[in-house]
Amino acid sequence: MDTRDDAAQGRAHAVEALAQKIAALGPLDGVVRFDALIEQSKLAGDHGGGVWVADRMVPHLADPASWHAAATATGSPIMLRAALTRWLTTSPGTLSADVLTAALDDPRFRTGVISTVLGRGEDDEASEFVIEAMRMEDAWLLDSLFIQDEPNEVLHRLLLHPIPAIASSAAVTFAVGQPHGPSLPETWRSAWRGAVQHLRPEDLSRHDHWRADQLLGHLADHDPDLLEAWYTERLGEMANRGYFAAPEPHGCDLHLDRLPQAHRYRLSVRCAGLPRIGHSPLIQLVGSDRDLAERLIRDCAVTPDNLLEALVGQRNETLESLGPLLLDHGVPPAHIAANVAWVDSWWGDDSARHQHLIDYFTTLSTRVPALAAVAAAGLAQQEASLREAESRERAARVRGV
């Protein structure tokens, strides 16, 4: 046997022996002794919290109700979880709502109680009580509770929870758009879609942000109606607060360009012209789709000036496709050039940035003759900006900055 296996087995035997010794002390003395050992281990640099020892104690807690009471009295969260685990295993019917309420109302124990009760996946009175008692700030706890391959009724109850953050956290645990998690039963799909539509990643854990992004990307290709409904709800929230800002998770706007044109049309109408912080989603929604842009203008759903939002920083096929259309509808070349010249980030002197843009506009009229007026306007703007930048930089060098 490998020496590492020998060492691991030795540690396991030592932990088991310690667990039995502490359990043999009885509830009051046992909890006091356990907590004292935890404090000593922290002083020695071990911040594991004694969870391994507590887990090995569970089978040896002959009277879990008394252990639970002792852990409550001394304020020992780890031992309370161990006692609760044993109680739920041996006699869950004797666990009263009053005991659960008292533990849930104590900030030291709330997390442990919810994780212990729901983590079993058992649909019983204890689970039902805890689920009903959950608050929005408890949603993050679901992050790691449901990693098994099979769904259970507890997860179904959470999916139907009236608090959107809890239902949404349950929804993103399924293996939809990601390889891990329980499968989604077809009979739950309606409830799941409702939870996804109300999903607000800012209310979820950071890991659930990743899951949400994976899910939204999956919806773009497999359920565009649901992605549109989700984004429409986010746009409604932004309209209520008076401005648009890219929704969480960061980068989810990048999925919008894969939606069918009909979906992108409806979303474009909703967000065009909305005051915003940062870039407009029209960059992804319209992109280089000239046919969509023509439809929006023809239907008077979006103005040509609104479509300028789709050109911000787009020195690519988007400009080459939409630029001539906007010129035909009276948008001044200087306005187009100014939007196209936007640069999100730049390392180095401002003068170098303006020279880079001068080089771009110099070749634009040759590559796309229909944009010659835009190229000329862009050159004039950037040459003026270059002179100003060079003047500032010379002054800074004189000052030694």
Side-chain angles (χ1 to χ4, degrees):
M1 182 180 293
D2 191 288
T3 55
R4 289 173 295 183
D5 293 335
D6 287 338
Q9 189 175 59
R11 286 195 297 271
H13 286 317
V15 169
E16 175 64 26
L18 178 60
Q20 292 187 30
K21 288 180 180 179
I22 297 175
L25 295 174
L28 292 175
D29 292 339
V31 171
V32 171
R33 179 58 175 159
F34 177 85
D35 285 349
L37 290 174
I38 294 300
E39 288 302 317
Q40 292 173 18
S41 67
K42 288 180 180 178
L43 293 174
D46 177 10
H47 297 279
V51 175
W52 197 11
V53 175
D55 288 345
R56 299 300 288 265
M57 288 178 63
V58 170
H60 308 295
L61 303 181
D63 184 2
S66 296
W67 281 89
H68 188 282
T72 300
T74 59
S76 177
I78 300 174
M79 281 309 307
L80 185 134
R81 289 189 65 167
L84 186 58
T85 299
R86 181 63 173 170
W87 200 343
L88 290 166
T89 302
T90 58
S91 53
T94 65
L95 181 58
S96 70
D98 289 341
V99 170
L100 285 173
T101 298
L104 288 169
D105 287 345
D106 191 321
R108 297 171 299 177
F109 305 138
R110 185 176 181 86
T111 296
V113 172
I114 295 173
S115 299
T116 300
V117 173
L118 301 189
R120 303 169 303 139
E122 297 289 335
D123 183 29
D124 54 17
E125 291 183 2
S127 292
E128 182 178 358
F129 183 87
V130 168
I131 289 172
E132 290 180 356
M134 290 180 72
R135 303 189 290 254
M136 188 178 80
E137 57 267 30
D138 300 320
W140 69 273
L141 293 171
L142 306 184
D143 185 323
S144 59
L145 286 184
F146 301 100
I147 57 175
Q148 65 273 18
D149 293 331
E150 296 300 323
N152 57 57
E153 192 56 32
V154 169
L155 187 51
H156 189 205
R157 285 183 177 274
L158 290 166
L159 198 60
L160 296 169
H161 204 281
I163 297 177
I166 293 173
S168 298
S169 186
V172 299
T173 66
F174 290 97
V176 180
Q178 57 171 337
H180 308 294
S183 58
L184 176 65
E186 194 59 35
T187 54
W188 297 6
R189 187 166 293 275
S190 177
W192 175 83
R193 294 181 92 254
V196 170
Q197 181 174 338
H198 302 311
L199 185 153
R200 299 178 76 253
E202 53 267 40
D203 295 334
L204 307 182
S205 70
R206 296 308 305 175
H207 188 241
D208 276 349
H209 273 219
W210 177 85
R211 288 172 169 163
D213 186 54
Q214 297 297 301
L215 172 58
L216 295 173
H218 174 84
L219 296 180
D221 299 317
H222 298 91
D223 195 344
D225 289 347
L226 182 52
L227 180 56
E228 180 188 2
W230 177 81
Y231 206 85
T232 297
E233 194 157 311
R234 303 288 76 73
L235 288 173
E237 294 174 356
M238 296 171 196
N240 288 337
R241 73 187 180 206
Y243 65 91
F244 170 88
E248 296 286 344
H250 178 71
C252 68
D253 282 358
L254 300 179
H255 303 310
L256 297 176
D257 62 2
R258 305 206 302 276
L259 289 173
Q261 188 184 90
H263 297 66
R264 290 185 287 115
Y265 178 98
R266 290 188 292 267
L267 289 174
S268 295
V269 172
R270 290 190 64 90
C271 68
L274 185 66
R276 56 186 167 81
I277 297 175
H279 290 321
S280 167
L282 290 181
I283 293 174
Q284 277 72 43
L285 290 170
V286 179
S288 60
D289 190 344
R290 177 166 176 147
D291 178 62
L292 173 57
E294 289 177 336
R295 284 185 57 204
L296 289 165
I297 294 174
R298 184 174 62 249
D299 296 347
C300 298
V302 171
T303 68
D305 283 338
N306 288 153
L307 283 177
L308 274 173
E309 298 175 15
L311 295 182
V312 173
Q314 302 305 297
R315 296 179 291 280
N316 50 35
E317 65 276 8
T318 297
L319 169 64
E320 296 170 12
S321 177
L322 300 190
L325 175 66
L326 297 185
L327 287 173
D328 290 344
H329 283 82
V331 178
H335 291 183
I336 297 175
N339 278 271
V340 166
W342 178 270
V343 176
D344 282 323
S345 60
W346 181 268
W347 294 99
D349 294 335
D350 286 345
S351 59
R353 171 167 56 88
H354 294 303
Q355 183 60 58
H356 170 77
L357 290 169
I358 287 171
D359 294 341
Y360 169 78
F361 284 117
T362 298
T363 62
L364 177 62
S365 58
T366 302
R367 289 185 295 101
V368 189
L371 294 174
V374 174
L379 274 173
Q381 291 169 356
Q382 296 307 314
E383 287 171 349
S385 296
L386 174 61
R387 290 191 293 271
E388 293 174 1
E390 289 176 336
S391 176
R392 289 195 305 271
E393 290 164 9
R394 282 194 299 271
R397 288 193 294 271
V398 169
R399 296 195 306 269
V401 177

